[in-house]
Amino acid sequence: MTSMTTYTDRHRRTYRTYKQKTQVTCGPACCLIMWANVHQADPIADEGGVIALSRAFPKPWNPHTGAEINNLSAVLRNMAVPNEVATYTDRGALRAELDRRVAFRKPALAFAEWEVDAAVVGHFVVVGFANARADEWTILDPLHGPQEVTGIPAYYPITDDPEPPVLRFTGAVAFTL
């Protein structure tokens, strides 16, 4: 069983979250976070189990490039988390759909990117709460920890780094059904 930690945001919403084990396991970690918040329990699986399951579907997780959202969507469906992938090129549409579709026990898996040493690096996070009108978002980030942010589609995680990254959501999202 994967032991999750709980996080309560300033609006008294409580989430289960998890810290990824390696630099490239954000996708599998997010699958565990998604499952835990949909089912309100700690998952029996661990990152290794999610990675093994990923191999049953096209474009599986690998240690060099990480995960791909359609693969993780198939993994989540197999883990009893029904979902659908959508891609938004318009930031207003992305914000509106996150606002409309993210709710208690219905988190969304979202893909973001940032630039590191002139290379683009991808990163998965879970959106646990979305309020576009108030510009309030709760991000369950397996690398940086839970974050309450504004300004989506850009995301500025609070870290100990002297130059924290600026993540930009690509518009690729797996919504829980």
Side-chain angles (χ1 to χ4, degrees):
M1 180 175 293
T2 297
S3 181
M4 307 295 280
T5 58
T6 58
Y7 170 75
T8 303
D9 69 11
R10 68 176 177 242
H11 300 289
R12 296 191 180 114
R13 293 179 296 266
T14 299
Y15 305 94
R16 292 174 189 265
T17 190
Y18 174 80
K19 198 85 159 152
Q20 67 192 68
K21 298 293 183 206
T22 74
Q23 195 67 22
V24 293
T25 55
C26 57
C30 282
C31 286
L32 297 171
I33 294 170
M34 292 279 290
W35 190 94
N37 284 285
V38 167
H39 296 286
Q40 293 296 293
D42 288 357
I44 295 170
D46 61 9
E47 283 183 10
V50 173
I51 289 167
L53 184 56
S54 166
R55 293 186 187 116
F57 305 103
K59 298 182 180 178
W61 178 91
N62 75 66
H64 304 293
T65 59
E68 191 271 334
I69 197 161
N70 290 307
N71 177 273
L72 294 178
S73 173
V75 167
L76 284 167
R77 281 192 300 276
N78 197 272
M79 293 172 64
V81 178
N83 70 89
E84 67 181 4
V85 174
T87 302
Y88 301 91
T89 56
D90 177 78
R91 69 181 232 177
L94 171 64
R95 288 170 55 93
E97 283 304 291
L98 286 168
D99 182 80
R100 186 175 76 80
R101 298 182 70 174
V102 171
F104 178 69
R105 297 182 72 171
K106 289 190 172 253
L109 174 68
F111 188 65
E113 295 177 326
W114 76 87
E115 190 173 313
V116 178
D117 298 328
V120 175
V121 176
H123 183 56
F124 284 100
V125 298
V126 173
V127 181
F129 174 77
N131 182 330
R133 183 170 290 145
D135 194 24
E136 295 179 343
W137 315 86
T138 298
I139 307 296
L140 307 174
D141 186 327
L143 180 61
H144 302 291
Q147 310 272 325
E148 295 179 57
V149 302
T150 61
I152 298 297
Y155 158 49
Y156 305 85
I158 297 168
T159 71
D160 293 333
D161 295 336
E163 294 183 34
V166 176
L167 288 92
R168 287 181 173 58
F169 288 91
T170 66
V173 182
F175 289 105
T176 307
L177 299 176

